[in-house]
Amino acid sequence: MSVPPSSAALLNHFHRFSIKGRVYPAILPVQNCDVSGRVLIGISDPELYILDEFEDVEYQRTRVEVSLLKSSDKLQAHAYVWSKTSDPNLYGDWDFEEWKQVHKESFIKMTMGFMEELELPESKPIGATYESFYQQDDAEK
């Protein structure tokens, strides 16, 4: 099976939740739910390290089965699953379209700050980068 470097897919039996006070989502296993997304093929070990650092301790990289939308073929992939399964801050559905309109630009700036921070000898975890960035962003408003 030939899969393009980025393919639309469904993560079966998972749900994408909103997280109180955060602009990014959490996914957790939930029966009769599916999460749409992209499967990225050919990620190198250094790139996987950066993703692991970015997702920090709030997420656990987990092997999952996804269904490709164009072919309905199934394949094994990794997904970053929220590590706190009974987190009281999870609620409802996370809305990607709303995120793109409201938070995408600032999230990209925060991510660039994380990448710069990652280059430093004593970089701070992404959670600290996220919190300091959004506190700074709120103060500027």
Side-chain angles (χ1 to χ4, degrees):
M1 162 180 39
S2 175
V3 180
S6 174
S7 298
L10 280 180
L11 176 55
N12 300 304
H13 308 295
F14 278 81
H15 180 76
R16 186 180 287 126
F17 292 93
S18 290
I19 309 167
K20 183 179 177 184
R22 310 289 176 97
V23 301
Y24 52 85
I27 63 169
L28 283 171
V30 174
Q31 282 296 346
N32 302 319
C33 289
D34 297 320
V35 171
S36 62
R38 311 283 308 167
V39 174
L40 304 177
I41 305 296
I43 294 176
S44 68
D45 287 342
E47 292 166 330
L48 192 56
Y49 169 78
I50 291 170
L51 288 170
D52 287 343
E53 290 296 306
F54 184 80
E55 297 300 350
D56 204 26
V57 297
E58 292 181 318
Y59 295 89
Q60 179 70 40
R61 183 166 33 108
T62 305
R63 184 169 289 284
V64 296
E65 183 177 87
V66 297
S67 302
L68 300 178
L69 293 181
K70 286 194 175 186
S71 66
S72 72
D73 288 335
K74 295 185 184 302
L75 57 95
Q76 294 291 306
H78 287 116
Y80 288 92
V81 177
W82 193 246
S83 60
K84 300 175 233 167
T85 58
S86 58
D87 189 335
N89 292 317
L90 301 180
Y91 67 96
D93 297 324
W94 183 78
D95 186 332
F96 180 64
E97 294 303 318
E98 176 185 334
W99 178 86
K100 284 193 319 188
Q101 292 175 359
V102 179
H103 301 291
K104 179 180 175 182
E105 188 175 315
S106 63
F107 194 81
I108 289 172
K109 287 180 186 173
M110 184 275 304
T111 302
M112 297 304 290
F114 164 77
M115 292 301 295
E116 290 169 8
E117 181 78 25
L118 197 58
E119 300 290 325
L120 300 175
E122 293 185 21
S123 62
K124 56 187 172 188
I126 186 63
T129 301
Y130 174 87
E131 289 174 10
S132 65
F133 178 83
Y134 279 99
Q135 287 172 353
Q136 172 188 352
D137 195 43
D138 287 343
E140 291 173 0
K141 290 181 180 174

